[in-house]
Amino acid sequence: MTTEEIYLNKKKEYLVKKVKAYNEMAVENKKINLDSENPYCSLCNKEICKKCKGYCCALKPKFFSPNDFYDISDLNYMREILNIGLISIFLNGEKWVIRPRGLLDKETIISYNPYYNSCCFYDYDKGCRLPMEYRPTECLLFINLKDRSTYPAYEKHIDLYSDKALYEYEIYQKYLQQLYEEYYNKKIDLNVSEDNINNLIRKMIK
Ligand code: SF4
Ligand code: SF4
């Protein structure tokens, strides 16, 4: 198996597990019908997000899960990812988490601003620039229930991830704190070209 296949399998398994756990608790008409071979059923599909005009993506970038990375405690791996300039370390309350860079993060990849911080991957004409399977777990678990024709689509979502994020990041705080100290003052240009996005993906899958 290639490193990309290993990465994608791990991500798929995680998504399927989370949705399964949700379905076990949900009432019948709120269950999610997930294709386990292709579990990327997030509402963030180009056509929908384009029509919706980024009700959420244009407001704030969602969280990656630690599971979206090979290993956050491998600081050299993380430095290679951060140096690309497309994702940021974000202080959510008192915990560091990782999310896409926001346009208001300005020159650095460190952020304290939770709101009005439009995701750098969002394009008003095309929706999300990041290929579906590489999007942050929170984007993929921000799932449309039924009516994909109603906007703002936000009201039709269920969010299966954000309350789990702080718990999942707990064991990585010391590594993220160290990266914060290295990067808080470092200026990194924002480049959302296709080449740079592909570069990010290559680094993430290792
Ligand atoms: S609110 Fe939903 S449809 Fe709209 S941009 Fe965000 S994820 Fe896409
Ligand atoms: S990565 Fe894509 S789907 Fe997720 S918040 Fe950013 S633009 Fe939206």
Side-chain angles (χ1 to χ4, degrees), residues 49-104:
C49 290
K50 206 163 84 176
K51 284 186 201 153
C52 166
K53 298 290 174 214
Y55 188 92
C56 57
C57 304
L59 194 64
K60 57 178 182 174
K62 295 185 177 50
F63 300 154
F64 284 99
S65 157
N67 187 62
D68 295 334
F69 300 93
Y70 165 73
D71 182 3
I72 293 177
S73 67
D74 181 340
L75 293 184
N76 283 334
Y77 162 78
M78 290 308 297
R79 286 181 191 110
E80 289 202 29
I81 290 174
L82 294 174
N83 289 341
I84 290 170
L86 287 171
I87 68 171
S88 70
I89 300 178
F90 165 58
L91 190 61
N92 186 42
E94 293 178 349
K95 293 272 187 306
W96 294 109
V97 300
I98 303 173
R99 64 152 172 66
R101 191 167 175 179
L103 297 184
L104 296 185

Short mmCIF file of all heavy atoms in Angstrom, two decimals, residues 49-104:
data_model
loop_
_atom_site.label_atom_id
_atom_site.label_comp_id
_atom_site.label_asym_id
_atom_site.label_seq_id
_atom_site.Cartn_x
_atom_site.Cartn_y
_atom_site.Cartn_z
N CYS A 49 -21.73 24.36 -1.93
CA CYS A 49 -21.02 25.44 -1.23
C CYS A 49 -21.01 26.71 -2.06
O CYS A 49 -21.04 27.82 -1.54
CB CYS A 49 -19.61 25.01 -0.87
SG CYS A 49 -19.56 23.77 0.42
N LYS A 50 -20.95 26.54 -3.37
CA LYS A 50 -20.94 27.71 -4.26
C LYS A 50 -22.26 28.47 -4.14
O LYS A 50 -22.27 29.68 -3.96
CB LYS A 50 -20.75 27.19 -5.69
CG LYS A 50 -20.11 28.16 -6.62
CD LYS A 50 -19.61 27.44 -7.83
CE LYS A 50 -20.72 27.27 -8.85
NZ LYS A 50 -20.23 26.64 -10.09
N LYS A 51 -23.35 27.73 -4.15
CA LYS A 51 -24.67 28.38 -4.06
C LYS A 51 -24.89 28.98 -2.68
O LYS A 51 -25.52 30.00 -2.53
CB LYS A 51 -25.77 27.35 -4.33
CG LYS A 51 -25.92 27.00 -5.79
CD LYS A 51 -27.14 26.10 -5.96
CE LYS A 51 -27.04 25.31 -7.24
NZ LYS A 51 -27.75 24.05 -7.18
N CYS A 52 -24.37 28.30 -1.68
CA CYS A 52 -24.57 28.74 -0.30
C CYS A 52 -23.77 30.01 0.00
O CYS A 52 -24.04 30.70 0.97
CB CYS A 52 -24.16 27.59 0.61
SG CYS A 52 -23.94 28.00 2.31
N LYS A 53 -22.77 30.30 -0.81
CA LYS A 53 -21.90 31.46 -0.63
C LYS A 53 -21.12 31.39 0.68
O LYS A 53 -20.85 32.39 1.33
CB LYS A 53 -22.69 32.78 -0.68
CG LYS A 53 -23.38 33.03 -2.00
CD LYS A 53 -22.36 33.33 -3.08
CE LYS A 53 -23.01 33.44 -4.44
NZ LYS A 53 -22.17 32.96 -5.53
N GLY A 54 -20.81 30.16 1.08
CA GLY A 54 -19.90 29.99 2.21
C GLY A 54 -20.44 30.44 3.54
O GLY A 54 -19.74 31.07 4.31
N TYR A 55 -21.67 30.09 3.81
CA TYR A 55 -22.27 30.52 5.07
C TYR A 55 -21.33 30.23 6.25
O TYR A 55 -21.19 31.02 7.15
CB TYR A 55 -23.61 29.82 5.26
CG TYR A 55 -24.39 30.33 6.44
CD1 TYR A 55 -25.30 31.36 6.29
CD2 TYR A 55 -24.20 29.77 7.71
CE1 TYR A 55 -26.01 31.82 7.37
CE2 TYR A 55 -24.91 30.24 8.79
CZ TYR A 55 -25.82 31.26 8.63
OH TYR A 55 -26.52 31.72 9.70
N CYS A 56 -20.71 29.04 6.25
CA CYS A 56 -19.77 28.76 7.36
C CYS A 56 -18.32 28.87 6.92
O CYS A 56 -17.51 29.45 7.63
CB CYS A 56 -20.04 27.39 7.96
SG CYS A 56 -19.95 26.10 6.75
N CYS A 57 -17.98 28.34 5.74
CA CYS A 57 -16.56 28.36 5.32
C CYS A 57 -16.03 29.78 5.20
O CYS A 57 -14.87 30.05 5.46
CB CYS A 57 -16.39 27.66 3.98
SG CYS A 57 -17.02 25.99 3.97
N ALA A 58 -16.92 30.69 4.80
CA ALA A 58 -16.49 32.08 4.67
C ALA A 58 -16.46 32.78 6.01
O ALA A 58 -15.99 33.91 6.12
CB ALA A 58 -17.41 32.82 3.70
N LEU A 59 -16.96 32.10 7.03
CA LEU A 59 -16.98 32.70 8.36
C LEU A 59 -15.76 32.24 9.16
O LEU A 59 -15.02 33.04 9.71
CB LEU A 59 -18.27 32.28 9.06
CG LEU A 59 -18.64 33.05 10.32
CD1 LEU A 59 -18.91 34.50 9.98
CD2 LEU A 59 -19.88 32.42 10.94
N LYS A 60 -15.59 30.93 9.22
CA LYS A 60 -14.41 30.44 9.97
C LYS A 60 -14.00 29.06 9.47
O LYS A 60 -14.84 28.23 9.15
CB LYS A 60 -14.68 30.41 11.46
CG LYS A 60 -15.84 29.57 11.88
CD LYS A 60 -15.97 29.58 13.39
CE LYS A 60 -17.10 28.70 13.84
NZ LYS A 60 -17.18 28.56 15.28
N PRO A 61 -12.70 28.83 9.43
CA PRO A 61 -12.22 27.51 9.00
C PRO A 61 -12.53 26.47 10.08
O PRO A 61 -12.46 26.77 11.27
CB PRO A 61 -10.70 27.70 8.89
CG PRO A 61 -10.46 29.17 8.98
CD PRO A 61 -11.61 29.76 9.73
N LYS A 62 -12.85 25.28 9.66
CA LYS A 62 -13.15 24.23 10.63
C LYS A 62 -11.88 23.50 11.06
O LYS A 62 -10.82 23.74 10.52
CB LYS A 62 -14.15 23.27 10.01
CG LYS A 62 -15.48 23.94 9.74
CD LYS A 62 -16.48 22.93 9.25
CE LYS A 62 -17.82 23.59 9.07
NZ LYS A 62 -17.75 24.82 8.27
N PHE A 63 -12.03 22.57 12.03
CA PHE A 63 -10.84 21.95 12.62
C PHE A 63 -10.43 20.67 11.89
O PHE A 63 -11.27 19.87 11.50
CB PHE A 63 -11.11 21.54 14.07
CG PHE A 63 -11.47 22.67 14.98
CD1 PHE A 63 -12.24 22.44 16.11
CD2 PHE A 63 -11.02 23.96 14.74
CE1 PHE A 63 -12.58 23.47 16.97
CE2 PHE A 63 -11.35 25.01 15.59
CZ PHE A 63 -12.14 24.75 16.71
N PHE A 64 -9.12 20.50 11.79
CA PHE A 64 -8.60 19.17 11.48
C PHE A 64 -8.71 18.33 12.75
O PHE A 64 -8.72 18.87 13.86
CB PHE A 64 -7.12 19.25 11.10
CG PHE A 64 -6.86 19.78 9.72
CD1 PHE A 64 -6.51 21.11 9.51
CD2 PHE A 64 -6.96 18.93 8.62
CE1 PHE A 64 -6.26 21.59 8.22
CE2 PHE A 64 -6.71 19.40 7.34
CZ PHE A 64 -6.36 20.73 7.14
N SER A 65 -8.73 17.03 12.57
CA SER A 65 -8.57 16.13 13.71
C SER A 65 -7.09 15.73 13.75
O SER A 65 -6.44 15.69 12.69
CB SER A 65 -9.42 14.87 13.45
OG SER A 65 -8.93 13.79 14.19
N PRO A 66 -6.56 15.38 14.92
CA PRO A 66 -5.19 14.84 14.94
C PRO A 66 -5.07 13.65 13.98
O PRO A 66 -4.00 13.39 13.43
CB PRO A 66 -5.00 14.41 16.39
CG PRO A 66 -5.92 15.29 17.17
CD PRO A 66 -7.12 15.51 16.29
N ASN A 67 -6.18 12.94 13.79
CA ASN A 67 -6.20 11.80 12.87
C ASN A 67 -5.94 12.20 11.41
O ASN A 67 -5.62 11.37 10.57
CB ASN A 67 -7.57 11.11 12.97
CG ASN A 67 -7.64 9.83 12.20
OD1 ASN A 67 -6.91 8.90 12.49
ND2 ASN A 67 -8.49 9.78 11.18
N ASP A 68 -6.07 13.48 11.09
CA ASP A 68 -5.81 13.94 9.72
C ASP A 68 -4.31 14.06 9.43
O ASP A 68 -3.92 14.38 8.31
CB ASP A 68 -6.46 15.32 9.48
CG ASP A 68 -7.98 15.25 9.55
OD1 ASP A 68 -8.52 14.17 9.30
OD2 ASP A 68 -8.61 16.27 9.87
N PHE A 69 -3.50 13.84 10.46
CA PHE A 69 -2.05 13.94 10.29
C PHE A 69 -1.39 12.60 10.60
O PHE A 69 -1.91 11.82 11.40
CB PHE A 69 -1.48 15.03 11.22
CG PHE A 69 -2.08 16.37 10.94
CD1 PHE A 69 -3.20 16.81 11.63
CD2 PHE A 69 -1.57 17.16 9.92
CE1 PHE A 69 -3.79 18.03 11.33
CE2 PHE A 69 -2.16 18.38 9.61
CZ PHE A 69 -3.26 18.82 10.31
N TYR A 70 -0.25 12.44 10.01
CA TYR A 70 0.51 11.20 10.26
C TYR A 70 0.87 11.13 11.75
O TYR A 70 0.60 10.15 12.41
CB TYR A 70 1.74 11.22 9.35
CG TYR A 70 2.79 10.23 9.72
CD1 TYR A 70 2.59 8.88 9.48
CD2 TYR A 70 3.98 10.65 10.31
CE1 TYR A 70 3.57 7.96 9.84
CE2 TYR A 70 4.95 9.76 10.66
CZ TYR A 70 4.74 8.41 10.43
OH TYR A 70 5.70 7.52 10.78
N ASP A 71 1.49 12.20 12.26
CA ASP A 71 1.82 12.21 13.68
C ASP A 71 2.18 13.64 14.12
O ASP A 71 3.24 14.15 13.75
CB ASP A 71 3.01 11.27 13.94
CG ASP A 71 3.37 11.20 15.42
OD1 ASP A 71 2.67 11.82 16.24
OD2 ASP A 71 4.37 10.52 15.74
N ILE A 72 1.32 14.24 14.92
CA ILE A 72 1.57 15.62 15.35
C ILE A 72 2.81 15.72 16.24
O ILE A 72 3.48 16.75 16.29
CB ILE A 72 0.32 16.20 16.08
CG1 ILE A 72 -0.83 16.34 15.07
CG2 ILE A 72 0.61 17.54 16.74
CD1 ILE A 72 -2.14 16.82 15.66
N SER A 73 3.16 14.62 16.91
CA SER A 73 4.34 14.70 17.79
C SER A 73 5.65 14.62 17.00
O SER A 73 6.72 14.84 17.55
CB SER A 73 4.28 13.59 18.85
OG SER A 73 4.42 12.33 18.24
N ASP A 74 5.57 14.34 15.71
CA ASP A 74 6.76 14.37 14.85
C ASP A 74 6.93 15.82 14.36
O ASP A 74 6.31 16.24 13.38
CB ASP A 74 6.55 13.40 13.67
CG ASP A 74 7.74 13.35 12.73
OD1 ASP A 74 8.56 14.29 12.74
OD2 ASP A 74 7.83 12.38 11.98
N LEU A 75 7.75 16.57 15.08
CA LEU A 75 7.80 18.02 14.83
C LEU A 75 8.39 18.37 13.47
O LEU A 75 7.99 19.36 12.85
CB LEU A 75 8.55 18.72 15.95
CG LEU A 75 7.83 18.68 17.30
CD1 LEU A 75 8.60 19.49 18.35
CD2 LEU A 75 6.40 19.19 17.22
N ASN A 76 9.31 17.56 12.97
CA ASN A 76 9.84 17.86 11.63
C ASN A 76 8.78 17.68 10.56
O ASN A 76 8.68 18.48 9.63
CB ASN A 76 11.08 17.01 11.32
CG ASN A 76 12.28 17.55 12.06
OD1 ASN A 76 12.33 18.75 12.38
ND2 ASN A 76 13.23 16.68 12.37
N TYR A 77 7.99 16.64 10.72
CA TYR A 77 6.85 16.43 9.81
C TYR A 77 5.90 17.64 9.88
O TYR A 77 5.48 18.19 8.86
CB TYR A 77 6.14 15.13 10.22
CG TYR A 77 4.74 14.93 9.71
CD1 TYR A 77 4.51 14.53 8.40
CD2 TYR A 77 3.63 15.13 10.55
CE1 TYR A 77 3.20 14.33 7.94
CE2 TYR A 77 2.34 14.93 10.10
CZ TYR A 77 2.12 14.53 8.80
OH TYR A 77 0.85 14.33 8.34
N MET A 78 5.60 18.10 11.09
CA MET A 78 4.68 19.22 11.24
C MET A 78 5.29 20.51 10.69
O MET A 78 4.58 21.33 10.09
CB MET A 78 4.31 19.43 12.72
CG MET A 78 3.42 18.34 13.31
SD MET A 78 1.93 18.00 12.32
CE MET A 78 1.05 19.54 12.40
N ARG A 79 6.59 20.70 10.87
CA ARG A 79 7.22 21.93 10.35
C ARG A 79 7.11 21.97 8.82
O ARG A 79 6.84 23.01 8.23
CB ARG A 79 8.70 21.98 10.77
CG ARG A 79 8.88 22.32 12.22
CD ARG A 79 10.37 22.39 12.59
NE ARG A 79 10.51 22.47 14.04
CZ ARG A 79 10.99 21.49 14.81
NH1 ARG A 79 11.43 20.36 14.27
NH2 ARG A 79 11.06 21.64 16.12
N GLU A 80 7.31 20.82 8.19
CA GLU A 80 7.21 20.80 6.72
C GLU A 80 5.81 21.19 6.27
O GLU A 80 5.62 21.87 5.27
CB GLU A 80 7.55 19.40 6.20
CG GLU A 80 9.03 19.11 6.34
CD GLU A 80 9.48 18.02 5.38
OE1 GLU A 80 8.88 17.90 4.30
OE2 GLU A 80 10.43 17.32 5.72
N ILE A 81 4.82 20.76 7.03
CA ILE A 81 3.42 21.11 6.69
C ILE A 81 3.17 22.59 6.94
O ILE A 81 2.62 23.30 6.09
CB ILE A 81 2.45 20.23 7.52
CG1 ILE A 81 2.52 18.79 7.02
CG2 ILE A 81 1.03 20.76 7.46
CD1 ILE A 81 1.74 17.80 7.84
N LEU A 82 3.59 23.07 8.10
CA LEU A 82 3.32 24.47 8.45
C LEU A 82 4.04 25.43 7.52
O LEU A 82 3.52 26.51 7.18
CB LEU A 82 3.72 24.75 9.90
CG LEU A 82 2.89 24.00 10.97
CD1 LEU A 82 3.47 24.22 12.36
CD2 LEU A 82 1.42 24.41 10.93
N ASN A 83 5.24 25.06 7.08
CA ASN A 83 6.02 25.96 6.21
C ASN A 83 5.33 26.22 4.87
O ASN A 83 5.64 27.21 4.20
CB ASN A 83 7.42 25.38 5.95
CG ASN A 83 8.27 25.45 7.21
OD1 ASN A 83 7.96 26.22 8.13
ND2 ASN A 83 9.33 24.65 7.26
N ILE A 84 4.42 25.35 4.49
CA ILE A 84 3.67 25.57 3.24
C ILE A 84 2.72 26.76 3.37
O ILE A 84 2.38 27.42 2.39
CB ILE A 84 2.94 24.27 2.84
CG1 ILE A 84 4.00 23.27 2.41
CG2 ILE A 84 1.92 24.49 1.74
CD1 ILE A 84 3.51 21.88 2.22
N GLY A 85 2.31 27.04 4.60
CA GLY A 85 1.55 28.28 4.85
C GLY A 85 0.05 28.17 4.65
O GLY A 85 -0.64 29.19 4.64
N LEU A 86 -0.47 26.97 4.51
CA LEU A 86 -1.92 26.85 4.26
C LEU A 86 -2.72 26.42 5.49
O LEU A 86 -3.94 26.47 5.47
CB LEU A 86 -2.18 25.87 3.11
CG LEU A 86 -1.81 26.41 1.73
CD1 LEU A 86 -1.89 25.31 0.68
CD2 LEU A 86 -2.73 27.57 1.34
N ILE A 87 -2.04 25.97 6.51
CA ILE A 87 -2.80 25.62 7.70
C ILE A 87 -2.22 26.33 8.91
O ILE A 87 -1.05 26.73 8.91
CB ILE A 87 -2.91 24.10 7.95
CG1 ILE A 87 -1.57 23.51 8.32
CG2 ILE A 87 -3.49 23.37 6.75
CD1 ILE A 87 -1.72 22.08 8.76
N SER A 88 -3.03 26.50 9.93
CA SER A 88 -2.55 27.27 11.06
C SER A 88 -2.81 26.56 12.38
O SER A 88 -3.66 25.65 12.48
CB SER A 88 -3.19 28.66 11.07
OG SER A 88 -4.54 28.56 11.38
N ILE A 89 -2.04 27.01 13.37
CA ILE A 89 -2.24 26.55 14.74
C ILE A 89 -3.12 27.60 15.39
O ILE A 89 -2.80 28.80 15.36
CB ILE A 89 -0.90 26.44 15.47
CG1 ILE A 89 -0.01 25.44 14.75
CG2 ILE A 89 -1.11 25.99 16.90
CD1 ILE A 89 1.35 25.32 15.38
N PHE A 90 -4.19 27.16 15.98
CA PHE A 90 -5.21 28.09 16.44
C PHE A 90 -5.52 27.84 17.91
O PHE A 90 -5.73 26.70 18.33
CB PHE A 90 -6.46 27.87 15.56
CG PHE A 90 -7.71 28.47 16.10
CD1 PHE A 90 -7.78 29.84 16.37
CD2 PHE A 90 -8.83 27.69 16.34
CE1 PHE A 90 -8.94 30.40 16.86
CE2 PHE A 90 -10.00 28.25 16.83
CZ PHE A 90 -10.05 29.61 17.09
N LEU A 91 -5.53 28.92 18.70
CA LEU A 91 -5.85 28.79 20.12
C LEU A 91 -7.36 28.86 20.29
O LEU A 91 -7.97 29.92 20.14
CB LEU A 91 -5.17 29.91 20.92
CG LEU A 91 -5.23 29.73 22.43
CD1 LEU A 91 -4.53 28.45 22.88
CD2 LEU A 91 -4.61 30.93 23.13
N ASN A 92 -7.94 27.71 20.59
CA ASN A 92 -9.39 27.63 20.77
C ASN A 92 -9.66 27.59 22.27
O ASN A 92 -9.49 26.56 22.91
CB ASN A 92 -9.91 26.37 20.09
CG ASN A 92 -11.41 26.30 20.11
OD1 ASN A 92 -12.08 27.30 19.89
ND2 ASN A 92 -11.95 25.14 20.39
N GLY A 93 -10.03 28.73 22.84
CA GLY A 93 -10.13 28.81 24.30
C GLY A 93 -8.73 28.66 24.87
O GLY A 93 -7.86 29.48 24.59
N GLU A 94 -8.50 27.56 25.60
CA GLU A 94 -7.16 27.38 26.17
C GLU A 94 -6.39 26.26 25.48
O GLU A 94 -5.33 25.85 25.94
CB GLU A 94 -7.28 27.07 27.66
CG GLU A 94 -7.83 28.24 28.42
CD GLU A 94 -8.01 27.93 29.89
OE1 GLU A 94 -7.89 26.76 30.29
OE2 GLU A 94 -8.26 28.89 30.62
N LYS A 95 -6.93 25.74 24.40
CA LYS A 95 -6.28 24.59 23.74
C LYS A 95 -5.86 24.92 22.32
O LYS A 95 -6.60 25.56 21.57
CB LYS A 95 -7.27 23.41 23.68
CG LYS A 95 -7.65 22.82 25.01
CD LYS A 95 -6.66 21.74 25.41
CE LYS A 95 -7.08 20.98 26.65
NZ LYS A 95 -7.36 21.77 27.82
N TRP A 96 -4.68 24.41 21.98
CA TRP A 96 -4.23 24.54 20.59
C TRP A 96 -4.87 23.46 19.74
O TRP A 96 -4.91 22.30 20.14
CB TRP A 96 -2.71 24.40 20.51
CG TRP A 96 -1.97 25.51 21.17
CD1 TRP A 96 -1.25 25.42 22.33
CD2 TRP A 96 -1.85 26.86 20.71
NE1 TRP A 96 -0.70 26.64 22.62
CE2 TRP A 96 -1.05 27.54 21.65
CE3 TRP A 96 -2.34 27.56 19.62
CZ2 TRP A 96 -0.73 28.90 21.53
CZ3 TRP A 96 -2.03 28.91 19.49
CH2 TRP A 96 -1.24 29.56 20.42
N VAL A 97 -5.36 23.87 18.59
CA VAL A 97 -5.87 22.92 17.61
C VAL A 97 -5.30 23.32 16.24
O VAL A 97 -4.66 24.38 16.12
CB VAL A 97 -7.42 22.90 17.55
CG1 VAL A 97 -8.04 22.52 18.88
CG2 VAL A 97 -7.98 24.23 17.08
N ILE A 98 -5.54 22.50 15.23
CA ILE A 98 -5.03 22.82 13.90
C ILE A 98 -6.22 23.00 12.96
O ILE A 98 -7.17 22.22 12.98
CB ILE A 98 -4.11 21.70 13.37
CG1 ILE A 98 -2.97 21.47 14.35
CG2 ILE A 98 -3.55 22.06 11.99
CD1 ILE A 98 -2.11 20.27 14.02
N ARG A 99 -6.15 24.06 12.17
CA ARG A 99 -7.22 24.30 11.21
C ARG A 99 -6.62 24.95 9.97
O ARG A 99 -5.47 25.40 10.00
CB ARG A 99 -8.31 25.16 11.83
CG ARG A 99 -7.88 26.57 12.20
CD ARG A 99 -9.06 27.48 12.13
NE ARG A 99 -8.88 28.82 12.63
CZ ARG A 99 -8.10 29.73 12.11
NH1 ARG A 99 -7.28 29.47 11.11
NH2 ARG A 99 -8.07 30.95 12.61
N PRO A 100 -7.38 25.03 8.86
CA PRO A 100 -6.86 25.74 7.70
C PRO A 100 -6.57 27.20 8.08
O PRO A 100 -7.15 27.73 9.02
CB PRO A 100 -8.00 25.68 6.70
CG PRO A 100 -8.81 24.50 7.10
CD PRO A 100 -8.71 24.42 8.59
N ARG A 101 -5.68 27.82 7.34
CA ARG A 101 -5.37 29.22 7.61
C ARG A 101 -6.58 30.07 7.26
O ARG A 101 -7.27 29.82 6.27
CB ARG A 101 -4.18 29.61 6.75
CG ARG A 101 -3.58 30.95 7.11
CD ARG A 101 -2.24 31.07 6.42
NE ARG A 101 -1.65 32.37 6.61
CZ ARG A 101 -0.46 32.71 6.10
NH1 ARG A 101 0.25 31.82 5.41
NH2 ARG A 101 0.04 33.90 6.30
N GLY A 102 -6.83 31.07 8.08
CA GLY A 102 -7.91 32.00 7.80
C GLY A 102 -7.35 33.25 7.12
O GLY A 102 -6.17 33.58 7.32
N LEU A 103 -8.16 33.93 6.34
CA LEU A 103 -7.64 35.11 5.65
C LEU A 103 -7.23 36.20 6.63
O LEU A 103 -6.35 37.00 6.34
CB LEU A 103 -8.68 35.64 4.66
CG LEU A 103 -9.03 34.66 3.53
CD1 LEU A 103 -9.99 35.31 2.54
CD2 LEU A 103 -7.79 34.16 2.80
N LEU A 104 -7.86 36.24 7.79
CA LEU A 104 -7.48 37.26 8.77
C LEU A 104 -6.31 36.83 9.65
O LEU A 104 -5.93 37.55 10.56
CB LEU A 104 -8.68 37.64 9.64
CG LEU A 104 -9.84 38.29 8.92
CD1 LEU A 104 -10.91 38.73 9.91
CD2 LEU A 104 -9.40 39.49 8.09
#
